[in-house]
Amino acid sequence: MCKYLVSGPSTLYGEVKISPAKNSVLTIICASILLAGEVLIKDCPDILDVRVMCEILKSIGATTLWTKEGLTVNTKNIFTTILPKQKTAKIRASFFMVGPMLARFKTVTVSKPGGCKIGERPLDIHLDGLKKLGASIKENEEEYLITANLLKGAKITLRYPSVGATENLILASVFAKGETNLINVAKEPEVVDLCNYLNACGAKIKGIGSQNLTILGVESLCKSISYTPIPDRIETGTFLLLSYLLDSNVQITNINLQNIYDLTKKINNITCKNSGIYVKIYSDKLYIRSKGEKYSLGDFTTSPYPGFATDLHPIMSAVGLGVRGQTKITETVFDSRFMYLKEFAKMGAKFSLNGNTVTIFGKGENIHGAHLVCPDLRGGASLVVASLSAQGDSVIEKVAYIMRGYSQFDKKLQSLGAKIKLIDGDYIDD
Ligand code: UD1
């Protein structure tokens, strides 16, 4: 099993380049099914979730090819509408293949999806929307059989702006007859990116970035395209927060400022307490220098975009451990995203959890290294952040979770001077 050995406290110096967004790439891979042709995803990050998606597509007849330019996926020769059980059960984003499979083949069999165990993750919004577009759904304990001889445009109001359901319904509507109105959709930058990508392929989606989308069904999309997805805002946030927490002098390149602006503002506000903090922002990169006493960045409540991203919640908690003052985080998107706290406790962390609100009592140098186990993807990354600011050595087990979403995390950190080492191989499937 892969683990990280981490020695803290670290300082960071140098430049790190952010990869294209995991959550954009995964849906663009799903969307490639609609093309019945070829997409080159430029600079595609080599992360485990992408590898699993490639495995799923290959097992139904698609081809995938990694080159220096990125990942090419060709879906022309898909020969079955039954998605492989074991692989789809592993990754929740595989359920986003349902929309495009239905749109192209009128039927799909898919197992109930897996993914990080961060709470109940029902699929009712996906399924209700698909039904409104004309799909019929049969299910047993393990899988769904979804069919639709004719997908027809409809007016669908999402009861919650689910990212995945929004994307699935967009993908299902691209070829639907007539006009589809999706109301109360997710506005996450990755949803916007998917819409821009689909329009570049020939889809007709309007209202991009707003709460309501209109999709005018088209007969087909282009057969070949290359696309560069937006930079990963969660990876950007992770490196930005880590650079704030540790003594550092770091340039973060390939960023989309708009998508992380609030975070940079919070850090900039701290300069009144600590003149050693300096952030300079350009349109596609930022520079952060951080020295001396670090203070809490305040209280956060996670919510759909443009609110504070739930995927940054565990990272912000880890920052809370190493700074002066209290950091309070209220989780409203997922109901059980606190598994990382059990690991923090092993490091001597002080916190209290009341319902869905955690208060972290910053202890700075009193946090010590420990033997830790990643509970999930972002919880795992938070353990790396905490270990890099702690005194002494940590062993972090099950880092395959981190590799699901962070490209070359250990190598990028090493290039900044962090003392982190991957041991027991570079790939593990657990
Ligand atoms: C996506 C992201 C994930 C991010 C999350 C929220 C991908 C591959 N993953 O996950 O990184 O943390 O958005 O920004 O893009 N819900 C329902 N019924 C449904 C669907 C969702 O109740 O049919 C609930 C979920 O249980 C959760 C909330 O809605 O409480 C948000 O989930 P959703 O936005 O769907 O997240 P994902 O698309 O799974």
Side-chain angles (χ1 to χ4, degrees), residues 23 92 120-125 159 162-164 311 333-334:
N23 291 347
R92 186 172 169 90
E120 273 297 309
R121 296 180 83 174
L123 292 165
D124 59 305
I125 308 172
R159 70 162 175 81
S162 152
V163 173
D311 287 350
V333 179
F334 291 109

Side-chain angles (χ1 to χ4, degrees), residues 236-237 240-241 244 255-274 277-282 286-288 295-300 306 308 312 316:
T236 310
L240 176 60
L241 287 171
Y244 170 70
I255 67 161
N256 181 323
L257 177 60
Q258 192 195 332
N259 297 341
I260 51 135
Y261 182 68
D262 285 354
L263 210 53
T264 54
K265 227 166 64 185
K266 284 258 185 196
I267 294 177
N268 254 332
N269 288 345
I270 291 290
T271 48
C272 53
K273 285 186 184 166
N274 177 352
I277 309 293
Y278 173 76
V279 183
K280 189 159 167 77
I281 300 165
Y282 304 87
L286 69 83
Y287 168 76
I288 174 164
Y295 293 86
S296 165
L297 293 171
D299 296 346
F300 296 84
F308 181 64
L312 282 176
M316 187 59 81

Side-chain angles (χ1 to χ4, degrees), residues 168-390:
N168 225 340
L169 295 175
I170 292 168
L171 291 163
S173 309
V174 165
F175 295 156
K177 200 169 160 33
E179 190 173 281
T180 301
N181 296 300
L182 299 178
I183 295 155
N184 192 32
V185 296
K187 294 180 288 190
E188 266 66 3
E190 296 76 21
V191 175
V192 170
D193 204 26
L194 173 68
C195 292
N196 287 335
Y197 166 72
L198 286 168
N199 277 356
C201 293
K204 291 201 167 139
I205 305 172
K206 286 193 205 149
I208 298 174
S210 77
Q211 225 170 351
N212 303 329
L213 291 172
T214 303
I215 300 142
L216 190 63
V218 295
E219 302 233 316
S220 62
L221 298 179
C222 67
K223 291 283 170 245
S224 167
I225 189 164
S226 66
Y227 192 80
T228 307
I230 55 168
D232 196 304
R233 66 197 160 100
I234 306 302
E235 190 193 15
T236 310
T238 304
F239 277 101
L240 176 60
L241 287 171
L242 185 61
S243 302
Y244 170 70
L245 175 64
L246 305 176
D247 280 356
S248 61
N249 209 318
V250 169
Q251 179 152 284
I252 305 176
T253 61
N254 191 37
I255 67 161
N256 181 323
L257 177 60
Q258 192 195 332
N259 297 341
I260 51 135
Y261 182 68
D262 285 354
L263 210 53
T264 54
K265 227 166 64 185
K266 284 258 185 196
I267 294 177
N268 254 332
N269 288 345
I270 291 290
T271 48
C272 53
K273 285 186 184 166
N274 177 352
S275 58
I277 309 293
Y278 173 76
V279 183
K280 189 159 167 77
I281 300 165
Y282 304 87
S283 60
D284 61 348
K285 65 181 180 190
L286 69 83
Y287 168 76
I288 174 164
R289 190 184 65 215
S290 180
K291 241 187 168 345
E293 188 87 75
K294 312 295 161 53
Y295 293 86
S296 165
L297 293 171
D299 296 346
F300 296 84
T301 299
T302 67
S303 65
Y305 190 83
F308 181 64
T310 176
D311 287 350
L312 282 176
H313 148 187
I315 313 296
M316 187 59 81
S317 283
V319 171
L321 294 179
V323 296
R324 192 179 269 266
Q326 288 183 20
T327 303
K328 201 188 261 186
I329 300 171
T330 302
E331 175 59 55
T332 73
V333 179
F334 291 109
D335 52 16
S336 117
R337 195 151 214 177
F338 295 99
M339 264 124 64
Y340 65 88
L341 288 174
K342 196 172 129 207
E343 306 304 309
F344 280 7
K346 297 178 188 167
M347 308 179 84
K350 262 197 179 167
F351 57 83
S352 74
L353 181 61
N354 284 311
N356 61 345
T357 298
V358 64
T359 306
I360 308 277
F361 304 100
K363 285 178 71 178
E365 66 274 18
N366 295 332
I367 299 296
H368 54 78
H371 196 125
L372 309 166
V373 183
C374 293
D376 55 64
L377 162 51
R378 306 300 171 187
S382 80
L383 301 184
V384 173
V385 172
S387 302
L388 285 170
S389 75

Side-chain angles (χ1 to χ4, degrees), residues 1-4 372-377 380 383 395-403 428 430:
M1 227 192 288
C2 284
K3 4 179 154 169
Y4 287 151
L372 309 166
V373 183
C374 293
D376 55 64
L377 162 51
L383 301 184
V395 178
I396 306 178
E397 306 251 17
K398 290 203 176 182
V399 298
Y401 276 121
I402 300 173
M403 294 172 179
I428 184 74
D430 63 358

Side-chain angles (χ1 to χ4, degrees), residues 16-25 41-47 50 66 190 193 228-239 252-256 259-260 284 378 403-412:
V16 62
K17 184 179 174 198
I18 300 303
S19 298
K22 158 187 165 281
N23 291 347
S24 275
V25 169
I41 303 172
K42 285 197 184 158
D43 293 329
C44 185
D46 184 6
I47 50 178
V50 168
W66 288 92
E190 296 76 21
D193 204 26
T228 307
I230 55 168
D232 196 304
R233 66 197 160 100
I234 306 302
E235 190 193 15
T236 310
T238 304
F239 277 101
I252 305 176
T253 61
N254 191 37
I255 67 161
N256 181 323
N259 297 341
I260 51 135
D284 61 348
R378 306 300 171 187
M403 294 172 179
R404 289 184 58 165
Y406 288 86
S407 172
Q408 312 273 319
F409 198 37
D410 53 318
K411 293 206 175 77
K412 287 186 181 183

